[in-house]
Every structure is written in structure tokens, then in C-alpha cells.
Amino acid sequence: MQLEDLAGIDEIEKEALEHLEKTIIYFKGRPVGTVAALDGSVDALNYDQCFVRDFVSSALFFLIKGETEIVRNFLEETLKLQPKNNQLDAYKPGQGLMPASFKVVSKNGEEYLEADFGEHAIARVTPVDSCLWWLIILRAYVVATKDYSLVYQPEFQKGIDLILELCLATRFDMYPTLLVPDGACMIDRRLGIYGHPLEIQSLFYAALRAAREMLICHGNQDWVIAIDNRLPILRAHIRKHYWIDLKRLNAIYRYKGEEYGKEAVNEFNVYVDSLPYNEIAKWLPKKGGYLAGNVGPSQMDTRFFSLGNLMAIICDLASEEQSEAIMNLVEKRWEDLVGDMPMKITFPALENEEYKIITGCDPKNIAWSYHNGGNWPVLMWMLAAASIKTNKICIAERAIHIAQSRLQEDEWPEYYDGKRGRFIGKQSRKYQTWTITGLLLAKEMIKEPSHLSLLNFEPFTPESDSRACEFEIDSFDA
Ligand code: GLC
């Protein structure tokens, strides 16, 4: 595996690249992923495995560097781990799921990959985000390599098909959003995000758009119709019901409750007193806004979640005005959302009784630590991508400057604690791979903003996509 010539890059990048080399996992002699962390000072637990979500920043970085083989191998091997049959066994992973992580096991001189779908993870959490990220990485691979032959293979078409079935077929609720359990994404511990969390919805939107581009239309008309139906209503739902700015907060403040039928204004019957509206009104700048963390029956989680908001900007789920308002909020509330380490995973933290009830007294998720208001350097690449998308590159430059001054000296921690992210996290791993690639990727994106195309989509119109579909059939048949 050859990363670029180390000449011409700064000392920090050089060290980061050297570490990244060491994190690569080989299976039968081929590179297939990167471990989550290489911290020799603590028990590895499952950090010696390749997590699908953690590999995203590695994959994008490798693609940018022309190291496409590892990404292709990763996609092929994880596809083999995806359950292809409905096993009708509550203890077995459902058809179409992608694992949270995998590792190489050697037995009797033979190597094989062992997947974890959450059954070994703390609290047995379901990795819903894995299959969504997998589609996003697959599409980025195609954008980078122009190699459609990989996705047109029947196994890949089948893999896409199974993920779509998992997300779009039979279900209980009638929202355009995806209903998921708590801890189903990067926040893989109980944090009150069950229901329709923003992070999953942003990834769902991007994954559907990716699938729409890669699915051979011929024979998949039902999926194409299902995606074309779902995308606009999902987008409209998020833009309308998740949006919070001063104007909308005022509308919510004047909501009536218990409205019945189609004419209801307060469609989800959110009781105003359940929201800290005075605090939010004080915190929101006049030109700022953000997408709420979750919207469901009598529920509006007003916490700011970075991953969901940034990915909504990157993949065009948020409107142009909303994207600008979100970035404006980041600038105006810099101390709260970025502070001394880009960037906070969620704001504000749950404290006191709320912390106890919502996290179940999780000692790792005390206020302003870990998922509950900790700062995660990996989020920097998304901040960089969102900055490019909104023409505010100075935000990314400022964030990179802050991070660079600490990450190397602190030995690349997984996360930071405290209101401003001043402390290395209480139980933070060192030499965390996505911290390393988070910085490397952010820097690459700023150097060459056109790399955003790996994740970016053209504004969606069903007409333009159905034309693409006809073309696809032609080119495929030829
Ligand atoms: C923690 C994080 C999770 C990540 C894993 C490996 O469990 O919460 O998002 O995938 O560590 O780094």
C-alpha cells in the first residue's frame, strides 16, 4: 500500500499518515479496512476491529489519494457479510443489515472475517447507520473511480436491493423518516435518540440518493418509484418539521395542543412546555437556525446534533437558506459548538435528573463528556465539507488550525470533554483512526474543494433522475 510521497506535507500530516498505514487490516494478504484505534496502553476491546462508520473517513481519504483498492476490497468483503436470507430468528441479524464492525480471525491456518451486528457490542445496539454509510461509500467509490462495473455486478445490485427493502418495505409507522432504536448510529449508547433521530434521517436521505444513482432501473422499477416518492416527502418533512429558527420557535410557542384531523397545525402535538424555548430563544442568533435532533409523537428534541446537521448540508437535505443559517449558527456560537476542539457532537449536554433518566445513569455519558456534549475531532471533515458547500471555507480553516495545534501532542484522542472541549476525554482512546483521518480529510478537502463531489448531489428533480435512468439502461445494455 503506497500512500503519497511524504515530501511536501507538514510534520503533523506526516505523522498522521504514518499512523494510518499501521491501522490497515489485511485479509488473505489484501487490505480491507482500518482498525478503530491503535492504543497500546489500554485493553483493545473491540477497537481492534474495522467499524463501518469509522472507515468512512479512511475510505474518502484513500479515494482522494487514488488508493482505491482498499475501498473496493472493503466494499466487497462487507457485502459478503450482509445477511441475504430472512432467518426468522430474533437473535440473528436481519436480512440486508450491514455489520457495525468486523475482524479477521485465523483458525487452523485459515483466515475468515467475523462480523459484529451489535450482538457483541455494549448494550447490544443495532448499527442502522452501517448500511446507509455503506451505500454512501459505494457511491463515492464510483464517483472517484468512474468504475460502474463494480455496482452493476449482480451481487452489488442485490446488496443495494436488500438495504432498500430494509428501509422502504413493510413497517409500523407512516412517517417519511426512519424509525430506529436508541444508539443506532455514531451515538451507540442510550442517549434518548430513539424514534426519528436526525443523524439517521440525513444518512437515509444521502443513501437513497446514492442508491437511486447506482440501481439499474431495468427490473427495479418498484424501487425507483419508491425512492422517487420518498425523497421529496422526506426532504420536505425534515425541512419543515425539524427546522428551528426564531420565527419557527415563535410559531411553536403559539401552538395549540390536542388538534384533531388533517387541519392540525401542530401536527405532532408537541406540548410547548416540553421545550426549553426561553433558553433556545436566547441562544439562537437572528440569522441562525438548525435542524432539531428528533421529531415524533409529542416529541421535539431541541438539542443540536452536529453529524445530522452537517450531513444535511452536505447532501442537500437542508435548503440553501437553512444550510447558511446552520453555518451562521456555528460561527456565532463558536464557543459552544466548536470551542477548543472541533466539534461538539451534541449541544447542550443532558444534566442532573435529565442525564439520569435519559442515559440510565451512564457513567461514560456524564454531562459534557463522550456522546453527551463531548467534542469529536472526526466531525471536522464534515465541518470542512459543509464549509465548502456553503462557501465559508474560513470556518474550516479556523477549525483545522485549532485542532492541529493539539491533536498530535495529545496523541490523536478519540474525543475531548468539557464545555469547550479542553480536556482529553475521560476514557478516550489514543491513536483513534477516525481522529487521524478526520484531520487529514478535512485538510485535503480544503486544499481541493472539488473533492466534495464524492458526497455531494445535484439538486434533486425526479425528471432529471428518470432521464439518468434511461441513459443507465442504455449504457448497461450496451
Ligand atoms: C464508540 C463510538 C462509535 C464508534 C466506536 C469505534 O463506540 O461511539 O461511534 O464507531 O467507538 O470507534
Side-chain angles (χ1 to χ4, degrees):
M1 168 104 218
Q2 293 289 307
L3 282 172
E4 71 167 26
D5 179 9
L6 296 185
I9 54 168
D10 64 37
E11 272 308 303
I12 299 177
E13 277 175 75
K14 194 169 160 208
E15 190 191 298
L17 283 171
E18 282 166 7
H19 275 294
L20 180 59
E21 271 299 337
K22 293 187 208 149
T23 67
I24 295 173
I25 297 180
Y26 289 87
F27 174 53
K28 297 185 177 164
R30 299 155 70 224
V32 290
T34 46
V35 295
L38 261 186
D39 185 346
S41 65
V42 281
D43 188 5
L45 299 176
N46 54 356
Y47 281 81
D48 58 356
Q49 304 199 12
C50 176
F51 281 73
V52 171
R53 73 174 73 87
D54 293 44
F55 187 66
V56 175
S57 45
S58 296
L60 296 172
F61 181 72
F62 287 132
L63 290 176
I64 287 174
K65 289 290 167 195
E67 302 287 346
T68 55
E69 189 204 341
I70 183 171
V71 182
R72 187 187 175 105
N73 294 341
F74 166 88
L75 290 163
E76 285 173 347
E77 294 303 331
T78 42
L79 178 63
K80 290 182 203 152
L81 300 174
Q82 181 192 41
K84 303 291 186 300
N85 302 311
N86 222 334
Q87 309 184 69
L88 300 178
D89 177 339
Y91 286 115
K92 296 259 167 67
Q95 174 180 287
L97 262 186
M98 282 289 177
S101 62
F102 64 85
K103 64 178 173 193
V104 180
V105 180
S106 300
K107 208 171 163 188
N108 305 328
E110 273 287 307
E111 277 188 350
Y112 64 94
L113 290 184
E114 192 177 278
D116 180 4
F117 289 86
E119 68 270 43
H120 302 299
I122 295 167
R124 308 291 181 263
V125 277
T126 318
V128 177
D129 63 340
S130 288
C131 61
L132 307 174
W133 277 124
W134 188 85
L135 286 173
I136 295 167
I137 301 174
L138 180 60
R139 191 256 184 180
Y141 174 85
V142 176
V143 172
T145 60
K146 315 270 179 293
D147 176 11
Y148 268 91
S149 67
L150 183 76
V151 289
Y152 285 172
Q153 287 173 15
E155 302 80 40
F156 273 82
Q157 289 292 309
K158 176 79 182 162
I160 298 173
D161 177 89
L162 291 180
I163 296 173
L164 290 176
E165 186 160 340
L166 196 58
C167 296
L168 296 175
T170 342
R171 63 210 174 103
F172 280 114
D173 74 344
M174 290 189 357
Y175 289 15
T177 36
L178 265 191
L179 176 65
V180 301
D182 214 339
C185 50
M186 176 183 178
I187 297 178
D188 55 358
R189 290 168 87 98
R190 184 175 154 194
L191 203 75
I193 58 164
Y194 53 86
H196 307 84
L198 179 66
E199 172 167 341
I200 290 289
Q201 313 316 323
S202 294
L203 298 181
F204 180 37
Y205 185 78
L208 283 184
R209 299 227 33 196
R212 181 67 172 81
E213 281 182 17
M214 297 184 296
L215 202 61
I216 298 168
C217 297
H218 192 61
N220 283 316
Q221 285 86 345
D222 287 351
W223 285 139
V224 171
I225 294 169
I227 296 175
D228 286 352
N229 283 341
R230 191 69 166 262
L231 280 172
I233 55 171
L234 172 62
R235 191 182 46 207
H237 180 93
I238 298 284
R239 288 183 181 180
K240 179 176 173 198
H241 298 294
Y242 282 61
W243 186 244
I244 301 178
D245 60 8
L246 281 173
K247 191 165 164 223
R248 169 117 162 95
L249 192 64
N250 201 161
I252 296 171
Y253 174 72
R254 289 164 55 82
Y255 266 171
K256 293 187 191 69
E258 316 284 329
E259 289 170 299
Y260 179 80
K262 282 196 171 150
E263 305 307 314
V265 177
N266 181 3
E267 278 173 60
F268 301 102
N269 196 39
V270 173
Y271 293 110
V272 182
D273 286 344
S274 70
L275 310 183
Y277 50 82
N278 273 323
E279 277 87 345
I280 305 172
K282 232 191 298 169
W283 188 67
L284 271 178
K286 276 204 181 96
K287 289 191 176 147
Y290 64 102
L291 295 165
N294 212 326
V295 174
S298 295
Q299 180 203 16
M300 185 171 204
D301 183 343
T302 56
R303 282 176 289 173
F304 176 91
F305 287 85
S306 295
L307 197 156
N309 272 284
L310 297 174
M311 281 305 288
I313 295 175
I314 296 165
C315 68
D316 267 317
L317 174 58
S319 70
E320 228 173 275
E321 300 75 51
Q322 289 176 337
S323 298
E324 256 193 43
I326 296 168
M327 293 308 276
N328 202 38
L329 177 74
V330 172
E331 266 186 303
K332 291 277 173 357
R333 294 292 169 258
W334 190 262
E335 289 296 299
D336 292 332
L337 299 176
V338 179
D340 286 2
M341 180 52 68
M343 120 172 240
K344 206 158 272 306
I345 191 166
T346 171
F347 179 88
L350 300 167
E351 298 186 85
N352 308 319
E353 279 308 295
E354 242 189 342
Y355 150 74
K356 285 190 191 163
I357 295 167
I358 295 178
T359 73
C361 298
D362 184 346
K364 206 164 171 183
N365 268 334
I366 52 170
W368 308 109
S369 181
Y370 201 49
H371 300 144
N372 187 16
N375 293 39
W376 290 69
V378 62
L379 296 170
M380 207 166 16
W381 76 260
M382 292 179 224
L383 181 62
S387 307
I388 295 170
K389 177 93 183 188
T390 50
N391 285 321
K392 286 177 182 271
I393 292 203
C394 53
I395 293 189
E397 285 169 345
R398 199 173 155 200
I400 290 171
H401 181 72
I402 293 171
Q404 281 211 133
S405 65
R406 297 183 67 191
L407 286 179
Q408 187 186 27
E409 201 188 323
D410 294 348
E411 300 175 303
W412 310 95
E414 179 186 15
Y415 66 96
Y416 286 76
D417 283 353
K419 283 198 173 166
R420 298 208 175 149
R422 287 214 164 144
F423 307 126
I424 296 174
K426 230 185 220 308
Q427 294 187 45
S428 173
R429 304 265 144 178
K430 298 278 181 79
Y431 298 102
Q432 179 83 17
T433 307
W434 68 2
T435 296
I436 294 171
T437 45
L439 178 71
L440 286 173
L441 185 53
K443 290 182 82 162
E444 286 304 321
M445 290 200 147
I446 295 308
K447 272 186 231 162
E448 185 44 70
S450 67
H451 292 317
L452 185 65
S453 64
L454 294 174
L455 297 152
N456 193 22
F457 296 92
E458 292 299 312
F460 174 78
T461 61
E463 296 75 38
S464 66
D465 272 37
S466 49
R467 276 200 299 280
C469 199
E470 280 157 28
F471 168 73
E472 222 179 76
I473 297 169
D474 289 340
S475 56
F476 184 71
D477 288 346

